[in-house]
Amino acid sequence: MTERDEHSIDRAASEVAGALFPGLGLISGRLARAVRTEWERNTSSALRAAEHSWGRSREDLEELIAADPEVLPLYMHVLWAAGMNGHDVTLRAMGTALGSAAHARVRGDQHAFDTAEDALRAMREFTPRQFKALRHLDGYVSPPAKKGDIGVFPKAYSEVSGMSIERSSATLASLAAAGLADAQSNFLGGQPGYKITAIGSAILRASGTIELEGDCREVRQDT
């Protein structure tokens, strides 16, 4: 795609790069171009996910962002993450949440908008570690003979992930804070169990298989 053919939403993203990352102006030459190129690539990846999620064009997304003061801050979160996070899976998931928020806004579903907004804001600092845990929750099946099952405990996830119990607990808790998992109390006390939520499952699905520009293969996630 040539610069002339770029959507204005991409041009707007480029124009705010200096405001989001003031230090960029102090970098000169090849390094500055490399930083900007990577940031624009990350932004484009997230916006493709947003288009895929809400099922409409980038021009429609552009119009909504420009017209709706509640959607614009979510777009700014995506721009920030494109420069500061850089993890492809996180950016696709944030783009998916942005598209879900846009779709909810158009159909007037405030609850769905709030849910998508909460997820997008919480995912800014996510790394592949969180998505590995989310995939584990997505594949969890309650034992048929176990009544009152409340999901995956941090200790059990620690054993399969190789993480410490403390890190496993923090990782699962971050998914719950983002609304991607539900923390269910243990009536015996101690740490809660975790199960994936509907939006967690939807974001995992949509961010895992995104039609790439010029390529329709499935995006392979690390396991």
Side-chain angles (χ1 to χ4, degrees):
M1 178 181 294
T2 67
E3 183 176 355
R4 180 177 299 177
D5 294 331
E6 286 181 336
H7 294 285
S8 58
I9 194 171
D10 296 322
R11 293 196 299 272
S14 182
E15 289 169 4
V16 302
L20 288 172
F21 314 111
L24 190 61
L26 302 177
I27 303 174
S28 60
R30 184 178 302 174
L31 180 56
R33 289 193 297 273
V35 170
R36 186 178 294 274
T37 297
E38 178 65 10
W39 181 76
E40 290 176 348
R41 184 192 70 81
N42 289 341
T43 301
S44 182
S45 176
L47 292 178
R48 284 199 303 274
E51 291 178 71
H52 185 274
S53 175
W54 91 314
R56 296 174 69 172
S57 70
R58 194 170 300 188
E59 287 87 350
D60 291 333
L61 181 61
E62 171 191 339
E63 291 178 5
L64 182 64
I65 290 171
D68 194 320
E70 291 196 40
V71 178
L72 179 59
L74 304 189
Y75 174 56
M76 298 303 290
H77 277 290
V78 172
L79 296 185
W80 185 93
M84 302 301 290
N85 186 305
H87 294 294
D88 283 342
V89 176
T90 301
L91 293 169
R92 290 197 302 270
M94 290 185 70
T96 298
L98 176 62
S100 296
H103 189 205
R105 200 69 176 159
V106 168
R107 69 177 188 269
D109 188 339
Q110 187 62 41
H111 175 71
F113 178 84
D114 292 342
T115 299
E117 178 184 27
D118 290 345
L120 191 153
R121 290 180 185 276
M123 286 191 290
R124 289 201 339 173
E125 306 291 345
F126 272 22
T127 69
R129 185 175 71 245
Q130 276 82 9
F131 288 96
K132 181 178 180 180
L134 192 62
R135 289 196 297 276
H136 180 75
L137 295 186
D138 188 54
Y140 177 75
V141 178
S142 298
K146 188 175 182 180
K147 295 182 179 180
D149 179 58
I150 61 173
V152 177
F153 287 99
K155 184 177 185 299
Y157 184 61
S158 173
E159 292 172 355
V160 300
S161 67
M163 297 181 190
S164 66
I165 295 177
E166 292 77 14
R167 179 160 295 228
S168 294
S169 179
T171 299
L172 293 171
S174 68
L175 296 178
L180 306 184
D182 182 31
Q184 305 189 40
S185 299
N186 180 359
F187 71 94
L188 297 176
Q191 295 181 320
Y194 293 86
K195 290 185 176 181
I196 195 168
T197 61
I199 190 170
S201 182
I203 284 177
L204 185 65
R205 294 284 184 275
S207 62
T209 306
I210 298 296
E211 183 176 329
L212 303 179
E213 186 173 349
D215 188 357
C216 298
R217 71 177 183 275
E218 183 174 272
V219 178
R220 183 182 181 276
Q221 299 176 335
D222 294 334
T223 55

